[in-house]
Amino acid sequence: MRISTKLTLSLLSIGLMIFIGYGLYHLSIERMNLARSISSQTRLLGKSLQIAIENAMRDKQLADIEELLKGLEQIESELKIRVYDQQGKAFPDAIGYAYASDFQERLHVALNDDADDQFFYPEADPEYITLLLPLQNAQGERLGILVFVRTLHEMRRDLDVAQRNLVISVAAFILIAAPLCTVIGLIYIGWPLKRLTDGMRRIKDGNFSPLPLKNQQDEVGILQETFNTMATELENARQRLKEEAQLRRHVQAALQEADKLITIGQLSAGLAHEIGSPLQILKGRSEHLLLCADQPEEVIRHARILASQTERITRIVQQLLDFTRRRPPHFTRINLSEPVNAVLDLLEYETHKKQVELSYKAEKDLPLILADSDSIQQIVLNLITNAISATDAGGRIVVAVESYQTGTDPAHSEAVEAVQLTVRDNGCGMPPEILNHLFDPFFTTRHEQGGVGLGLAVARSIVTAHHGSIKAESSPGLGSTITLILPVDKPHHDVD
């Protein structure tokens, strides 16, 4: 059963108890007042008749007494009046009157008493009121008794009307109060609790939106506000759990990547060691054949091919060694513009030969960063070389260096001063499936040009060693943008 229904039934029960109790009390007061009024009227009429009958009996006018009594009974049919003499004989005769035996016994007892007497019969639910008045002469001698017996049909009829009105009032109270209490219970309890129940179901389904508040300043309103606060806290906790789960996945991926790099490094070191010496022998023999002018042209051509390919293999082996056994970085305070300018000077001829415009923008008074200059040059060289390869003749490459606040970067939780390097080209661009693997070791799109796929992987590892970040943005046909952010100082918790 709903709380609103229980509350309605409870209020109705309490209201009915109060209403019926008050009605019964009012009914008893009405009964008492009616009895008092009838008793007073009967006594007043009796006293008047007592005086008149005593005077008539002294004057021996019995016919007048009988006429008077019959006239009163005709006027008031509920009134029966008799006069009893000393011998107990009734006047006028009580023919046709039939009363209950116990009432007659009570009447005979009262006739033997000289005092005034008045009583209701029966006492619990009276049907008659009886008044007995002694009749005396001028000397005080007893002449008889005047008896009034009045039926109480009128009083009982009035009490029945009062009872019927009480029943009608109770029924009207139920018909009005029941729907009113039901509506009030639904407005203030039922519907708010239903909103809370619906809100709990929404939370179960993953919807943490707050409940609409109705400015209800009571316990239910406080409960709704508390529920909204709880829903907000649950949503925040859920978001934190998602972020922690995402971070955990990133950490697991990083650990897997690190494990893969360790395995690659071990294999690369062993491979470089095993094939290094045979490569040197092959390279030396091919160069010796190239120096022998008396060899046939076909031999010279094959020797030239052998020398170029051994040189390519040697270069790949050297990149593997550089990737697996880089020297520890030597951190000093440098201006990022210096290694960038050095690389731009180095690649000026390359861009001119390919007819690519290379522009450079550097902010003045850049803060000095704690970095290894050689490693930074390696990163910049790799990024600009990749941009040149991806840009056709007539294209444009823009290199920019500016200060940066990492507090605006979602990857950092606190504001840290940094310097940002941006390499932007309007070349061919990359689709998402290539962009997602751009920094993976041995992933390359330039196999024909001799690409190994270690340049950006090495760049990312150097950036990580500098406590920075690197990201790539690209769209097919619109070019690519590589953004490198290096902090001015190492984070305090990572200082060696």
Side-chain angles (χ1 to χ4, degrees):
M1 185 180 294
R2 294 181 177 179
I3 294 180
S4 58
T5 305
K6 293 180 180 179
L7 181 62
T8 299
L9 294 177
S10 300
L11 292 176
L12 280 177
S13 300
I14 295 173
L16 283 175
M17 291 174 62
I18 296 174
F19 203 85
I20 294 175
Y22 175 77
L24 293 176
Y25 171 76
H26 181 74
L27 190 62
S28 65
I29 296 297
E30 183 73 13
R31 183 192 302 272
M32 189 181 301
N33 291 335
L34 287 174
R36 187 181 296 114
S37 176
I38 292 176
S39 176
S40 180
Q41 292 175 6
T42 303
R43 182 171 291 275
L44 180 61
L45 179 60
K47 285 293 183 181
S48 301
L49 285 176
Q50 181 185 23
I51 295 173
I53 292 174
E54 284 179 343
N55 292 332
M57 290 182 72
R58 282 196 298 269
D59 297 337
K60 305 299 181 176
Q61 298 176 351
L62 299 180
D64 293 340
I65 295 174
E66 183 177 0
E67 184 178 355
L68 174 63
L69 296 181
K70 289 182 178 180
L72 287 175
E73 288 184 359
Q74 290 177 357
I75 296 173
E76 185 64 46
S77 59
E78 295 183 351
L79 182 63
K80 304 300 178 184
I81 306 172
R82 291 292 177 268
V83 176
Y84 290 85
D85 59 13
Q86 292 283 36
Q87 290 74 31
K89 183 179 178 180
F91 176 81
D93 294 335
I95 299 174
Y97 300 153
Y99 297 106
S101 58
D102 51 351
F103 174 72
Q104 293 181 2
E105 292 176 2
R106 176 74 176 82
L107 184 60
H108 286 303
V109 171
L111 289 174
N112 295 326
D113 193 355
D114 292 338
D116 295 354
D117 191 9
Q118 180 175 289
F119 62 89
F120 288 90
Y121 177 84
E123 294 183 358
D125 187 16
E127 296 181 5
Y128 310 102
I129 179 173
T130 304
L131 175 63
L132 293 93
L133 297 173
L135 300 175
Q136 299 176 349
N137 57 18
Q139 291 72 29
E141 297 176 352
R142 179 174 177 178
L143 301 176
I145 297 178
L146 176 63
V147 178
F148 282 82
V149 179
R150 185 176 185 176
T151 59
L152 301 178
H153 295 315
E154 184 177 354
M155 186 184 79
R156 292 169 66 89
R157 186 166 53 251
D158 292 341
L159 290 178
D160 290 340
V161 171
Q163 289 178 350
R164 185 164 57 252
N165 291 338
L166 176 62
V167 172
I168 294 174
S169 300
V170 170
F173 172 79
I174 294 175
L175 292 177
I176 295 174
L180 186 61
C181 290
T182 301
V183 172
I184 292 175
L186 287 175
I187 292 175
Y188 291 102
I189 296 178
W191 292 339
L193 290 181
K194 185 177 182 301
R195 287 196 294 269
L196 283 174
T197 304
D198 294 340
M200 292 178 184
R201 291 195 183 98
R202 288 202 304 269
I203 288 179
K204 180 182 177 182
D205 297 334
N207 183 3
F208 292 89
S209 58
L211 296 176
L213 298 179
K214 303 294 184 180
N215 295 324
Q216 191 170 345
Q217 303 299 326
D218 54 14
E219 289 80 358
V220 177
I222 295 174
L223 179 61
Q224 289 181 340
E225 292 179 359
T226 305
F227 178 84
N228 285 344
T229 303
M230 181 195 70
T232 302
E233 293 177 354
L234 285 175
E235 184 177 12
N236 294 335
R238 183 186 184 188
Q239 187 63 31
R240 288 195 298 270
L241 288 175
K242 284 184 178 180
E243 293 175 355
E244 291 174 0
Q246 184 69 18
L247 180 61
R248 185 163 57 249
R249 287 193 293 269
H250 288 167
V251 171
Q252 291 175 350
L255 290 175
Q256 293 174 356
E257 184 70 15
D259 183 68
K260 181 173 69 174
L261 292 177
I262 291 173
T263 303
I264 292 173
Q266 293 174 348
L267 292 174
S268 300
L271 178 63
H273 177 74
E274 292 297 329
I275 69 176
S277 297
L279 279 176
Q280 292 298 325
I281 296 173
L282 289 174
K283 182 179 179 183
R285 294 298 177 88
S286 61
E287 291 177 349
H288 176 71
L289 289 175
L290 289 175
L291 296 176
C292 296
D294 55 346
Q295 294 295 330
E297 182 64 25
E298 186 68 16
V299 174
I300 297 298
R301 187 175 67 84
H302 286 296
R304 188 178 296 110
I305 294 173
L306 181 62
S308 64
Q309 293 303 314
T310 53
E311 178 65 28
R312 180 171 180 269
I313 296 174
T314 302
R315 187 169 62 254
I316 293 174
V317 171
Q318 187 61 42
Q319 287 181 347
L320 287 173
L321 291 175
D322 291 340
F323 179 72
T324 56
R325 297 184 305 193
R326 288 197 310 273
R327 63 174 179 80
H330 178 63
F331 290 97
T332 58
R333 290 287 179 185
I334 65 170
N335 189 322
L336 185 58
S337 296
E338 295 175 358
V340 174
N341 281 322
V343 174
L344 292 176
D345 292 339
L346 180 65
L347 296 177
E348 183 179 1
Y349 175 75
E350 184 72 20
T351 57
H352 179 71
K353 183 177 67 173
K354 197 173 180 181
Q355 297 180 355
V356 174
E357 179 185 354
L358 180 61
S359 60
Y360 174 55
K361 300 177 182 179
E363 184 180 304
K364 294 182 179 180
D365 300 326
L366 286 171
L368 300 181
I369 63 173
L370 190 63
D372 178 47
S373 181
D374 292 341
S375 298
I376 297 301
Q377 285 191 32
Q378 183 178 355
I379 295 174
V380 177
L381 178 62
N382 185 277
L383 297 182
I384 298 178
T385 301
N386 288 342
I388 294 172
S389 300
T391 306
D392 296 330
R396 187 166 183 250
I397 300 173
V398 178
V399 181
V401 179
E402 57 188 348
S403 58
Y404 184 79
Q405 291 290 330
T406 60
T408 60
D409 187 355
H412 300 80
S413 59
E414 57 183 9
V416 177
E417 188 177 9
V419 177
Q420 175 179 282
L421 168 67
T422 304
V423 179
R424 183 181 294 106
D425 65 70
N426 59 355
C428 59
M430 293 174 286
E433 57 270 16
I434 293 179
L435 193 62
N436 293 335
H437 300 281
L438 193 61
F439 297 99
D440 291 350
F442 300 106
F443 179 81
T444 181
T445 59
R446 296 188 290 115
H447 293 286
E448 294 80 2
Q449 291 80 20
V452 181
L454 291 174
L456 290 177
V458 172
R460 185 176 64 174
S461 63
I462 295 174
V463 171
T464 302
H466 283 72
H467 307 282
S469 63
I470 184 171
K471 66 178 181 178
E473 300 173 344
S474 184
S475 297
L478 300 178
S480 303
T481 301
I482 307 294
T483 303
L484 171 66
I485 299 175
L486 296 173
V488 171
D489 293 305
K490 284 186 180 180
H492 295 295
H493 58 275
D494 290 332
V495 175
D496 294 333

